Amino acid sequence: MSGQSITDRIAAAQHSMTGSAISKAVCKATTHEVSGPKKKHLDYLIHCTNEMNVSIPQLADTLFERTANNSWVVVFKALITTHHLMMYGNERFIQYLASRNTLFNLNNFLDKGALQGYDMSTFIRRYSRYLNEKALSYRLVAVDFTKMKRGIDGVMRTMNTEKLIKTLPIIQNQLDALLDFEANPNELTNGVINAAFMLLFKDSIRLFAAYNEGVINLLEKYFDMKKNQCKEALDIYKKFLYRMTKLSEFLKVAEVGFDLISLKRDAPSSLLEALEQHLASLEGKKTKELSAASR
């Protein structure tokens, strides 16, 4: 189905009569048309998040209502619009989402009636879990990892050891939820899923940048840590190496032909061995015992 359906037009007319400009814009951004939300509607909603007389709860609730629709197109576009506002809207939008006990409950969503309904429903369930995780991350640390200051004097590079060990697993969880979208190139078959994938791609680059800087800081501090901190840091680093591989696969889908970091694959392995040996020395183990245990 292409273009606005009769249901879309009736809903938009009703909102026009009641004077609800926000509801009308949400309705137009989440039509049954199999394409991403139109830029003009997204831009208007971003503008709304910056207006102090606009109710953010009302805006969010209108989007949540659209996810109760039976059509995969409408639900997917409501999630995309929400993600877009989390990324580009005023911070009070993501603050409100993070303050809610529940966000999207679409684990059982299934559109059996439409073309591509089964396939797209799978991605809707995965996408909603990522947005839930993104909001939870903000709730836990009061910052959006994709927007934090980066560089040598950035947030992750200047964080102390205790906070770093608590924060990196939160980034890991958010990145895991993002990578669980798991779309293959031959599954990016329409404008709706493509719009979602593009937002996920942008988040993945920024999220990994924060993750990478946090790990660099962790490694710089590693040899001055206490034994228990070394254990946690080593575990975090091992998980980081695994996620590097998964992210490389994700980026291949987006046809991005560049290396994530300048480290060669054998560099992390040799570094990992040095980290393990340091932890073993703190635990009073001999290197031979460690090697046997590793094998």
Side-chain angles (χ1 to χ4, degrees), residues 93-119:
F93 183 77
I94 193 171
Q95 281 175 346
Y96 173 71
L97 297 186
S99 72
R100 291 177 58 105
N101 289 327
T102 56
L103 209 55
F104 298 110
N105 186 16
L106 295 169
N107 288 337
N108 298 315
F109 178 80
L110 182 61
D111 182 350
K112 298 178 183 177
L115 189 68
Q116 293 189 293
Y118 276 94
D119 293 339

Side-chain angles (χ1 to χ4, degrees), residues 2-37:
S2 62
Q4 290 187 24
S5 69
I6 293 174
T7 308
D8 295 330
R9 295 177 190 278
I10 291 172
Q14 286 174 335
H15 292 314
S16 295
M17 287 186 284
T18 58
S20 176
I22 289 177
S23 296
K24 183 179 179 182
V26 168
C27 182
K28 286 190 171 184
T30 57
T31 63
H32 288 75
E33 185 178 0
V34 186
S35 62

